[in-house]
């Protein structure tokens, strides 16, 4: 185990800004992408519901 | 003949939609597990580097991200080629679904590269061969997405994007070679296939585990985005209507 | 109609059209001169610094000027329908596309090559470096037209197409820029520019063989 105690762990040998800056931004971007994916899915479902409501559904299998 | 027949079954968006739906949770779970394992190795098992003390731990996200950003661009070009060859809409959708995740990982590679360069080389941005190629790769991603966004007709957008992805992938090695010729400051490839890795094997292990974790994450993100694309494009079709009844 | 006749016929058409609107050629040329003259105003008149930057600046300006005129490559023919006739014509697309790109290079690339020494002198480049600059542009500008044609074909008829072409095509220009400017720096530093020029030549051959196919595919995508 490299660290004795959490404070030393977060201090990261004086490079806290760089190490946690890198991992923090990476985590933020990944979470951001997951949120965007979720929002896009909701919007897509909403669009599909609307086209069903307005009866725009084509009768046969959709063309290529 | 039988085998390729049911392969084509998965080329139809409807069947692929369900298949992807079932696979996504597994990939997210794998990414999370491997990520935790990789970070544990990186922060708790890997020793302090004698030269850069703790700053080197950024390698556990910088290298996997840059590997994956290049790998995703190649996978994108492969889907583009398959789409153009077999005229399967789903392949184009996969290529479009991969681009944002690839661009995000390229940005992560640039950001972590800069933050790692600051303590080790004393500058936020260094015109080094690999960082510069990564920056150009970022422009290629942005170009692909911008072209697809500028074209309204999905059919033309798919094919135009596919072509620029293929032209791009042909140019990536040329760009990499010319940038390397132009300047090389980056440390020699510490992990190259030919010679043995010059880093402690524990560090290498951490990096490889993180690379697979990022790979799993990229697959999961791309699959969930492709499901949304399928929904957007097939919203007027029969199977989506039935799907919504089932869900509603 | 042999392939060569098709290319020559199309070349004649393009050049006569270009000569009718001579203004376009001059705008590209003056853009090149203005951009190249802006840098000393921005960076300062220190001769030693300018000499170091000369090759790179002239090359970047040539690259931007060549890209400026890409829009004209297909846009007018697309607008008045001649492009569809060309696509439907019996001549193999690669042939007449090469003809069109050649014509574009003659109209937009060659003036840059002729003007480059004048700008090189402005930056205090030695005569040997000027010779290498002209030769590197001679090898490089056709590649700019070839690769640029792919971008122009893909963004045919799109709103904001001009900006989009630059976004698509600039990353692909970077190897040409590196070897072109590198050739001039090599000559200035006395190291000799053979390596850079030979690489530039190989890129030219590669582009000349591959790009027309990509352009014809792009046109088919955009025209349908």
């Amino acid at each position: 185990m490299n660290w004795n105690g959490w404070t030393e762990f977060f201090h990261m040998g004086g490079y806290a800004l760089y190490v946690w800056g890198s991992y923090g931004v990476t985590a933020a971007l990944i979470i951001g992408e997951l949120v965007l994916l979720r929002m896009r899915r909701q919007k897509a479902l909403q669009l599909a519901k609307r086209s069903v409501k307005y009866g725009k559904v084509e009768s046969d299998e959709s063309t290529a | 003949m039988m085998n390729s027949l049911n392969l084509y079954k998965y080329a139809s968006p409807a069947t692929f939609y369900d298949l992807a739906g079932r696979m996504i949770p597994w990939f997210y779970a794998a990414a999370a597990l491997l990520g935790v394992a990789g970070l544990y190795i990186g922060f708790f098992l890997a020793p302090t580097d004698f030269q850069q003390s703790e700053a080197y731990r950024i390698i556990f996200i910088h290298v996997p991200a840059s590997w994956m950003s290049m790998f995703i661009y190649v996978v994108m070009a492969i889907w583009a080629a398959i789409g153009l060859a077999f005229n399967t809409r789903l392949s184009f959708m996969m290529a479009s679904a991969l681009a944002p995740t690839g661009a995000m990982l390229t940005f992560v590679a640039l950001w972590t590269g800069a933050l790692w360069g600051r303590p080790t080389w004393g500058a936020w941005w260094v015109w080094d061969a690999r960082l510069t190629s990564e920056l150009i790769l970022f422009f290629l991603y942005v170009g692909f997405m911008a072209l697809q966004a500028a074209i309204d007709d999905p059919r033309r957008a798919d094919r135009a994007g596919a072509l620029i992805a293929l032209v791009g992938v042909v140019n990536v090695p040329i760009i990499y070679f010319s940038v390397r010729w132009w300047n090389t400051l980056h440390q020699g490839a510490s992990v190259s296939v030919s010679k043995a890795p010059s880093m402690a094997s524990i560090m290498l292990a951490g990096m490889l585990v993180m690379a697979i974790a990022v790979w799993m994450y990229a697959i999961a993100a791309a699959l969930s985005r492709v499901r949304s694309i399928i929904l957007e494009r097939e919203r007027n079709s029969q199977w989506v209507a039935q799907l919504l009844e089932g869900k509603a | 109609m042999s392939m060569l006749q098709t290319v020559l016929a199309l070349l004649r058409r393009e050049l006569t059209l270009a000569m009718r609107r001579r203004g376009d050629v001059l705008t590209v040329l003056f853009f090149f001169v203005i951009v190249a003259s802006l840098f000393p105003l921005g960076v300062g008149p220190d001769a030693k610094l300018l000499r170091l930057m000369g090759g790179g600046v002239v090359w970047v300006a040539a690259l931007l000027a060549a890209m400026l005129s890409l829009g004209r490559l297909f846009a007018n023919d697309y607008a008045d329908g001649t492009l569809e006739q060309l696509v439907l014509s019996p001549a193999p697309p690669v042939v007449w596309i090469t003809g069109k790109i050649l014509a574009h290079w003659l109209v937009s690339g060659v003036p840059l090559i002729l003007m480059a020494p004048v700008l090189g002198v402005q930056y205090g480049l030695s005569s040997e470096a000027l010779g290498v600059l002209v030769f590197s542009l001679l090898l490089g500008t056709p590649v700019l037209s070839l690769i640029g044609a792919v971008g122009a074909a893909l963004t045919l008829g799109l709103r904001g197409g001009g900006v989009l072409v630059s976004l698509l095509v600039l990353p692909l220009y970077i190897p040409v820029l590196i070897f072109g400017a590198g050739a001039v720096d090599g000559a200035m530093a006395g190291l000799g520019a053979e390596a850079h020029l030979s690489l530039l030549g190989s890129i030219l051959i590669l582009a000349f063989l591959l790009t027309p196919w990509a352009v014809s595919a792009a046109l088919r995508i955009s025209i349908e």
Side-chain angles (χ1 to χ4, degrees), chain B residues 31-76:
Chain B
L33 272 173
L34 286 167
V36 167
L39 288 177
Y40 180 78
I41 297 174
F43 279 98
F44 296 101
L45 297 187
T48 311
D49 182 69
F50 59 91
Q51 209 180 12
Q52 301 169 19
S53 90
E54 303 307 342
Y56 88 97
R57 294 186 192 276
I58 299 175
I59 195 175
F60 294 109
I61 191 64
H62 173 65
V63 170
S66 51
W67 279 349
M68 281 313 300
S69 61
M70 283 176 246
F71 177 66
I72 286 177
Y73 194 84
V74 171
V75 170
M76 221 168 78

Side-chain angles (χ1 to χ4, degrees), chain B residues 130-147:
Chain B
R130 289 204 275 194
L131 275 178
T132 314
S133 311
E134 195 73 36
L135 183 65
I136 299 167
L137 182 65
F138 187 69
F139 295 148
L140 290 178
Y141 273 114
V142 168
F144 175 85
M145 292 191 283
L147 178 63

Side-chain angles (χ1 to χ4, degrees), chain B residues 78-160:
Chain B
I78 291 170
W79 279 119
I82 292 173
L84 287 173
F86 297 105
N87 205 356
T88 45
R89 284 179 301 119
L90 194 61
S91 320
F92 293 129
M93 294 188 207
M94 267 311 282
S96 322
L98 280 163
T101 306
M104 187 270 284
L105 286 174
T106 317
F107 179 79
V108 163
L110 289 170
W111 175 267
T112 50
L115 255 67
W116 189 11
R118 181 71 186 89
T120 35
W121 297 326
W124 288 107
W125 177 258
V126 170
W127 284 103
D128 146 73
R130 289 204 275 194
L131 275 178
T132 314
S133 311
E134 195 73 36
L135 183 65
I136 299 167
L137 182 65
F138 187 69
F139 295 148
L140 290 178
Y141 273 114
V142 168
F144 175 85
M145 292 191 283
L147 178 63
Q148 292 219 316
I151 303 174
D152 304 327
D153 156 31
R155 187 179 145 74
R156 178 181 168 185
D158 284 351
R159 291 161 187 285

Side-chain angles (χ1 to χ4, degrees), chain C residues 46 106 138 167 208:
Chain C
D46 164 23
L106 286 176
L138 193 63
L167 192 57
F208 187 74

Side-chain angles (χ1 to χ4, degrees), chain B residues 207-222:
Chain B
M207 221 165 49
L208 290 182
V209 169
M210 283 301 284
I212 299 169
V214 173
W215 186 17
M216 292 299 119
Y217 165 76
I219 295 174

